[in-house]
Amino acid sequence: MPLFKTITVDQDTKVLIWKVEEPYEWLAKGIELTDHCRKRVEGMKSEIHRRGFMSIRHLMAEAGYDDHDLYYDELGKPHLKDEHYISITHSFNFTAIIISKHDVGIDIEKQRDKIMKIANKFTPLDEYHTLANEEALIRKLTIVWGAKESVYKLYAQPGLAFLQHINVTDFDFDDAETTAKVTFKGQESWYHINFLEFEDFTCVYAQPLKANFN
């Protein structure tokens, strides 16, 4: 079952998630890559990275696009050639894209205890002292990291730092959403964050709050 989940966020925004179970040869069949992307995938030493790369092209096909509709800017941010925006993510055997009429960011992360070792680099750890156990802490930190990564991809400005510039509003797991604020170079902007958990993975996606457009 390759297409793991489709989420219609709103009339302008859709998330597609792929569980990578197929061999590379199956995933590559029928997919025409640009010269740039063909060189990228040929240079990948990791088989799961190559399979993940190709699965993303299947997700794009599900949304009505092919590799020639995609290009990357000088910062490495992906763009579509029409009026839509895209963000891409890959973690182990899951990949995902989000496509929208406004700018978006997405991230998938595997829930692992190693996140506790780096937590103080992206969020103040004293904010989480009320969590009941280590599992809950790992889950929450993974959501916070995913939220900041999604916003970082969306904002796409050199110098933006997770710890200093992006703040995620606290949330309960059952909420499945929160907000994030970016304070950077004298400007402030807010983002709506959604998250979901499955098979020990966390998917988070970010969109600008409508107030940002005013």
Side-chain angles (χ1 to χ4, degrees):
M1 184 181 170
L3 184 59
F4 182 76
K5 188 180 287 290
T6 299
I7 303 167
T8 301
V9 181
D10 54 43
Q11 63 181 3
D12 297 328
T13 309
K14 182 176 286 190
V15 173
L16 298 100
I17 302 173
W18 191 281
K19 186 174 183 180
V20 185
E21 298 177 319
E22 309 81 3
Y24 175 81
E25 290 73 21
W26 186 96
L27 290 162
K29 192 174 182 179
I31 299 295
E32 184 179 342
L33 298 175
T34 63
D35 289 342
H36 171 74
C37 285
R38 181 177 50 79
K39 290 176 183 177
R40 282 185 63 193
V41 75
E42 288 176 352
M44 293 176 181
K45 297 179 180 179
S46 167
E47 179 71 8
I48 189 61
H49 285 166
R50 296 175 74 221
R51 290 163 63 203
F53 187 94
M54 297 307 295
S55 74
I56 287 165
R57 273 63 199 168
H58 284 272
L59 289 175
M60 290 175 60
E62 289 281 343
Y65 295 93
D66 63 32
D67 200 48
H68 293 81
D69 297 314
L70 183 72
Y71 70 96
Y72 294 83
D73 64 20
E74 65 278 3
L75 297 174
K77 182 175 180 176
H79 296 269
L80 293 170
K81 292 180 180 178
D82 65 8
E83 75 278 9
H84 288 81
Y85 294 85
I86 187 171
S87 184
I88 296 169
T89 185
H90 174 213
S91 180
F92 293 87
N93 61 318
F94 279 99
T95 58
I97 64 173
I98 183 170
I99 294 177
S100 180
K101 287 186 177 179
H102 49 76
D103 213 350
V104 283
I106 193 169
D107 187 53
I108 285 183
E109 298 290 340
K110 186 172 177 60
Q111 298 168 0
R112 296 184 287 172
D113 57 5
K114 67 176 291 185
I115 198 166
M116 295 190 296
K117 299 177 182 178
I118 63 167
N120 61 354
K121 296 182 179 180
F122 69 87
T123 189
L125 261 178
D126 56 2
E127 295 181 1
Y128 308 101
H129 65 277
T130 58
L131 288 173
N133 53 53
E134 185 175 289
E135 179 187 359
L137 179 58
I138 292 169
R139 288 176 61 200
K140 189 147 222 182
L141 288 173
T142 305
I143 294 167
V144 171
W145 172 271
K148 294 196 175 194
E149 181 71 26
S150 298
V151 169
Y152 182 85
K153 288 180 176 182
L154 190 165
Y155 203 85
Q157 292 293 323
L160 184 71
F162 281 27
L163 183 61
Q164 291 87 356
H165 303 131
I166 309 173
N167 181 68
V168 178
T169 308
D170 195 20
F171 55 88
D172 293 327
F173 292 120
D174 290 341
D175 294 341
E177 63 180 352
T178 184
T179 56
K181 180 176 73 169
V182 171
T183 307
F184 188 58
K185 294 186 176 179
Q187 295 187 329
E188 188 177 285
S189 53
W190 284 87
Y191 301 88
H192 186 219
I193 306 295
N194 291 92
F195 58 85
L196 62 150
E197 299 173 293
F198 48 86
E199 299 187 16
D200 297 323
F201 283 79
T202 301
C203 179
V204 189
Y205 49 96
Q207 307 172 81
L209 279 178
K210 291 180 181 178
N212 289 356
F213 300 124
N214 294 340

